[in-house]
Amino acid sequence: MGQNSRANYRVNTTKEAKTIASRLLKEYELQKVTKFGLPEIDDRYHYWRVPILAENGERIGEIVIDARSSLVVGKKSTTKDQLEARLLKRPGHRKKRVSDVNQRPKISSLRNTIGLGDSEELLLETPAESVDLVFTSPPYFNARPEYADYLEYDAYLNKMQRIFHQCHRVLQEGRMIVVNVSPVLIRRASRNEASKRIAVPFDFHRILIEEGFDFIDDIIWVKPEGAGWATGRGRRFAADRNPMQYKPVPVTEYVLVYRKKTSKLIDWHIRKHPDKSIVEQSKIGDGYQKTNIWKIHPAFSKKHPAVFPDQLAQNVIRYYSFINDVVLDPFGGIGTTSRVAHKNGRRFVHYEVNPDYVEFIKRDLCNWYLGDPDEITWVNTEIPRSIQTGFK
Ligand SMILES: C[S@@+](CC[C@H](N)C(=O)[O-])C[C@H]1O[C@@H](n2cnc3c(N)ncnc32)[C@H](O)[C@@H]1O
């Protein structure tokens, strides 16, 4: 899809889409009590979707326009009756509510932070609505001996839910949480038993919805040279040929994107950002990922068994945050999210329970941290003076 499929569009710009929608609202005699959100083109169905907002900015419906015929698609659009009913439910819609109009996204005052400990506890001490993006890869359920803390899957999920609950509290309104997660394979204990696949991402979906996030996207991270070969799959092609014994080698992981529930449209964060130059500088450059399939080589580290690649972190950070935003990783590992956030002009909050990984970051910091380590907030751990002298 894209430019070629748009060649025969009669409606090509947001302005044209708004003009058509405003004609309809005039017919409905609602043009004085409504306004438009940002129209978006839906390439798949060749539709323009023009959000209709009440005067206080709340979304009350949308007008859908066929981009090729320029006709309003009646059965997909919010009806006049629905718009009127929704407006009437909002008493005083004719008067602008000053608090709504003047409301702006908050600018967090958090400094770069490195904390040692269980993030469930560290997050309790983190101020509400002080984080602009959460990007994380949670520990695997029992996949490796070092994660054997969670012997029961339910206990593991409960722990994750408590941590996501805190993530929701510390995240600003309408901001994103992006979770890298994939199904796990529990290997069979003996030849007489079956191995088991656990669909962790689908349980995470339920948890995130329960905690008050809206689902936004499922990005599929494809590892070009494979990833699942080591699990035993892919070495059993003979068995694969028996119907029902077929088992594909997993070469993907999910990157699930959710947004903290809000009545505000996504462009509110752009329109109301207090610093227009930051918005401009944060624009995503050419060559960005245009589909939800991201081909990125996996990363390996001698220091940590499950790091994610810088490229993955960089995409997420650039696509879902502004420069100077605060990016939290509650399962920080050896600091990929924080290092990449810093390189991209964002602030970071790194929480990690394993002291060895925190010690590693302390040593590694002089390779990438450009500021004064004294300006980092250290929680449950201190930066030794000897490390400080290593800074350039
Ligand atoms: C999959 S790894 C993340 C690796 C990281 N993305 C990186 O690139 O270094 C998950 C990490 O979460 C940590 N962890 C597990 N439970 C935790 C908890 N309750 N609080 C904080 N960290 C935790 C583990 O020690 C592990 O380092």
Side-chain angles (χ1 to χ4, degrees):
M1 284 298 164
Q3 296 308 321
N4 287 342
S5 66
R6 293 188 191 180
N8 55 355
Y9 281 7
R10 295 177 73 175
V11 188
N12 286 298
T13 63
T14 55
K15 199 173 163 202
E16 287 166 356
K18 278 186 188 173
T19 307
I20 295 167
S22 66
R23 262 188 244 132
L24 186 71
L25 287 182
K26 212 168 168 187
E27 259 176 58
Y28 290 168
E29 295 183 328
L30 291 175
Q31 82 276 21
K32 289 201 179 127
V33 288
T34 53
K35 54 187 184 176
F36 298 123
L38 188 69
E40 279 183 0
I41 181 75
D42 182 340
D43 267 332
R44 208 159 133 212
Y45 299 107
H46 312 290
Y47 286 154
W48 278 96
R49 296 180 185 280
V50 186
I52 309 298
L53 315 180
E55 280 197 324
N56 64 7
E58 271 185 72
R59 189 187 172 107
I60 52 167
E62 64 172 10
I63 291 177
V64 178
I65 299 161
D66 186 324
R68 292 178 294 193
S69 69
S70 76
L71 293 172
V72 172
V73 186
K75 57 177 195 267
K76 303 255 177 218
S77 302
T78 314
T79 63
K80 181 181 183 213
D81 286 351
Q82 284 169 326
L83 289 173
E84 278 178 341
R86 287 172 195 170
L87 278 167
L88 285 172
K89 253 194 256 154
R90 295 182 171 81
H93 65 267
R94 280 163 201 278
K95 270 198 249 147
K96 281 196 168 136
R97 290 223 311 266
V98 178
S99 58
D100 277 351
V101 173
N102 292 339
Q103 216 188 340
R104 287 187 171 276
K106 295 190 189 83
I107 296 286
S108 169
S109 57
L110 271 198
R111 304 194 312 178
N112 291 324
T113 304
I114 295 181
L116 168 63
D118 179 348
S119 56
E120 186 183 348
E121 283 157 30
L122 293 173
L123 282 164
L124 277 175
E125 304 299 317
T126 310
E129 303 206 310
S130 60
V131 163
D132 303 297
L133 168 67
V134 180
F135 177 43
T136 198
S137 167
Y140 299 152
F141 167 65
N142 226 12
R144 290 171 195 262
E146 56 268 46
Y147 297 132
D149 288 352
Y150 313 100
L151 291 176
E152 298 295 328
Y153 185 53
D154 278 351
Y156 165 79
L157 285 182
N158 288 341
K159 177 73 181 178
M160 295 301 116
Q161 183 148 10
R162 290 197 299 275
I163 292 175
F164 287 133
H165 179 82
Q166 289 302 327
C167 287
H168 184 272
R169 190 184 62 80
V170 301
L171 197 59
Q172 305 248 24
E173 178 181 1
R175 290 307 200 109
M176 308 294 191
I177 180 168
V178 182
V179 183
N180 165 222
V181 61
S182 51
V184 294
L185 178 76
I186 307 295
R187 288 200 212 165
R188 56 188 180 169
S190 72
R191 279 193 76 81
N192 298 329
E193 286 174 52
S195 60
K196 204 172 163 196
R197 285 273 273 169
I198 302 184
V200 186
F202 305 118
D203 287 316
F204 273 37
H205 172 79
R206 173 184 54 78
I207 288 173
L208 287 160
I209 296 294
E210 279 174 13
E211 289 309 321
F213 294 101
D214 283 328
F215 173 68
I216 299 290
D217 263 314
D218 54 333
I219 291 163
I220 312 294
W221 165 24
V222 180
K223 305 173 187 182
E225 70 267 40
W229 304 93
T231 64
R233 293 185 171 199
R235 278 186 266 151
R236 48 189 294 289
F237 287 118
D240 276 348
R241 294 176 195 232
N242 297 328
M244 299 194 56
Q245 273 197 327
Y246 167 73
K247 286 192 176 126
V249 178
V251 294
T252 61
E253 292 192 21
Y254 284 96
V255 178
L256 301 176
V257 184
Y258 294 79
R259 183 170 184 235
K260 183 169 173 173
K261 257 192 205 312
T262 174
S263 60
K264 308 225 169 39
L265 300 178
I266 286 183
D267 76 329
W268 179 76
H269 297 276
I270 299 159
R271 282 187 289 110
K272 298 278 182 171
H273 194 291
D275 189 337
K276 293 281 166 262
S277 67
I278 292 274
V279 174
E280 201 49 40
Q281 287 169 50
S282 308
K283 278 219 154 116
I284 302 161
D286 291 341
Y288 63 93
Q289 301 279 353
K290 298 205 173 55
T291 74
N292 72 334
I293 296 184
W294 294 3
K295 289 193 186 121
I296 299 174
H297 290 279
F300 300 99
S301 164
K302 285 190 188 133
K303 308 287 173 205
H304 195 291
V307 289
F308 49 44
D310 284 20
Q311 185 64 54
L312 184 72
Q314 177 153 302
N315 287 358
V316 170
I317 288 165
R318 288 194 181 169
Y319 300 170
Y320 296 112
S321 73
F322 297 96
I323 288 169
N324 206 31
D325 274 359
V326 175
V327 183
L328 160 73
D329 190 340
F331 303 110
I334 54 169
T336 313
T337 303
S338 300
R339 182 165 41 78
V340 175
H342 185 65
K343 282 189 178 160
N344 284 278
R346 275 73 170 167
R347 286 170 281 167
F348 58 82
V349 176
H350 171 97
Y351 293 152
E352 168 57 52
V353 76
N354 186 326
D356 292 345
Y357 298 148
V358 175
E359 283 309 311
F360 171 81
I361 294 193
K362 289 179 175 181
R363 290 194 300 277
D364 190 43
L365 215 53
C366 63
N367 295 319
W368 55 268
Y369 188 67
L370 300 172
D372 178 348
D374 270 334
E375 283 168 8
I376 295 177
T377 304
W378 298 89
V379 185
N380 300 338
T381 183
E382 275 175 17
I383 184 156
R385 293 285 137 191
S386 58
I387 295 176
Q388 248 181 315
T389 53
F391 278 81
K392 293 148 208 152

